[in-house]
C-alpha cells in the first residue's frame, strides 16, 4: 500500500506483493519478503504470510507492519468468537475496521483463507471473494494477479501458480523480491 510521503511529512514503508490461489481443495497464500523505506530495501526476508488462530487460517498482509499485526490479532479474536468461521469473523472484522476510530486509520490490506474460503479484506469494510479464486494485493499485486490468471488455464496446482506469479511480480515491481513465504491450507 502506498501513500504520498509529503502528505505525512515522513517516509512511509512501502510495497509488497501477496497472492492467494485456490484450486480444488488446496489454497496457497504467498508473499514476498521485501520491506522498503523510500528507495531503500530495509529487510529482504520479512514474513508477511502466517497461520493464525488454531492454524487453520492463513493470512497475508500488504501495508504497514504494525497495522497488519493489529489486524491479525483482531481477526484471531473474531475467529475465537465465531468458532473458527472465517467468513463470519472476516465480516465482523471489516465492520469494526470501518467503524472503529482507531482501526479506521490502519493502512493495510489482507488476504485470508481457510480450507473453504479465500477473501480480501480492506479498511473500507470490504470482504471480497475473488473472481476465479485468485486474489493479489500490494504494489506488485496487479502483476502477480495478471500472471496467475494467465497461468491458471494451463496449470492446476495452486502452489505452482502462486510461485510463478510471484516470480513475475518480483521481476517487474521494484518493491517486491523473490524471498517467498508460502503457506497452504
Amino acid at each position: 500500500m502506498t501513500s504520498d510521503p509529503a502528505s505525512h511529512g515522513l517516509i512511509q514503508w512501502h510495497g509488497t506483493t501477496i497472492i492467494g490461489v485456490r484450486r480444488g481443495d488446496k489454497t496457497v497464500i504467498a508473499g514476498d519478503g521485501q520491506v522498503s523505506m523510500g528507495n531503500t530495501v530495509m529487510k529482504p526476508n520479512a514474513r508477511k504470510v502466517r497461520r493464525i488462530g488454531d492454524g487453520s487460517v492463513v493470512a497475508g498482509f500488504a501495508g504497514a507492519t504494525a497495522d497488519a499485526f493489529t489486524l491479525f490479532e483482531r481477526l484471531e479474536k473474531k475467529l475465537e468468537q465465531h468458532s473458527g468461521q472465517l467468513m463470519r469473523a472476516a465480516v465482523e472484522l471489516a465492520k469494526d475496521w470501518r467503524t472503529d476510530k482507531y482501526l479506521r486509520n490502519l493502512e493495510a490490506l489482507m488476504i485470508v483463507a481457510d480450507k473453504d474460503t479465500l477473501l480480501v479484506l480492506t479498511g473500507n469494510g470490504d470482504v471480497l471473494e475473488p473472481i476465479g479464486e485468485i486474489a493479489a494485493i500490494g504494489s506488485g499485486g496487479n502483476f502477480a494477479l495478471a500472471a496467475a490468471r494467465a497461468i491458471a488455464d494451463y496449470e492446476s496446482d495452486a502452489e505452482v501458480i502462486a510461485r510463478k506469479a510471484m516470480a513475475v511480480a518480483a521481476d517487474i515491481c521494484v518493491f517486491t523480491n523473490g524471498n517467498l513465504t508460502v503457506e497452504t491450507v
Side-chain angles (χ1 to χ4, degrees):
M1 180 171 229
T2 63
S3 60
D4 179 13
S7 68
H8 292 90
L10 51 95
I11 295 175
Q12 295 291 308
W13 295 94
H14 177 85
T16 198
T17 302
I18 305 293
I19 190 164
V21 179
R22 182 176 175 78
R23 287 290 175 267
D25 62 354
K26 182 178 178 183
T27 302
V28 172
I29 296 181
D32 78 306
Q34 184 167 307
V35 176
S36 304
M37 188 168 135
N39 294 327
T40 304
V41 175
M42 300 301 288
K43 184 174 182 173
N45 60 347
R47 282 188 51 92
K48 301 171 195 171
V49 175
R50 60 192 60 219
R51 291 185 175 276
I52 60 173
D54 64 1
S56 64
V57 173
V58 176
F61 74 89
T65 305
D67 293 353
F69 286 129
T70 299
L71 292 169
F72 282 156
E73 289 173 8
R74 295 286 181 115
L75 182 57
E76 283 183 309
K77 288 178 185 173
K78 296 294 183 186
L79 285 166
E80 288 173 15
Q81 290 172 356
H82 299 288
S83 305
Q85 297 175 47
L86 179 57
M87 181 62 83
R88 178 83 188 271
V91 168
E92 293 302 318
L93 174 64
K95 284 182 194 175
D96 290 352
W97 196 353
R98 184 176 171 89
T99 60
D100 182 274
K101 190 174 186 177
Y102 169 73
L103 291 177
R104 205 174 27 224
N105 292 315
L106 298 182
E107 294 186 19
L109 294 169
M110 297 176 71
I111 294 179
V112 298
D114 66 9
K115 64 181 182 62
D116 301 314
T117 310
L118 175 65
L119 302 169
V120 176
L121 308 179
T122 77
N124 294 328
D126 298 317
V127 178
L128 306 169
E129 291 182 283
I131 294 173
E133 297 186 311
I134 300 171
I137 57 174
S139 59
N142 286 338
F143 304 121
L145 180 62
R149 285 184 178 173
I151 296 166
D153 287 342
Y154 308 100
E155 177 60 57
S156 60
D157 186 281
E159 185 170 341
V160 171
I161 294 169
R163 286 183 180 277
K164 286 182 177 182
M166 289 297 293
V168 169
D171 283 347
I172 298 171
C173 178
V174 297
F175 297 106
T176 302
N177 70 17
N179 293 337
L180 301 183
T181 301
V182 179
E183 291 286 347
T184 302
V185 287

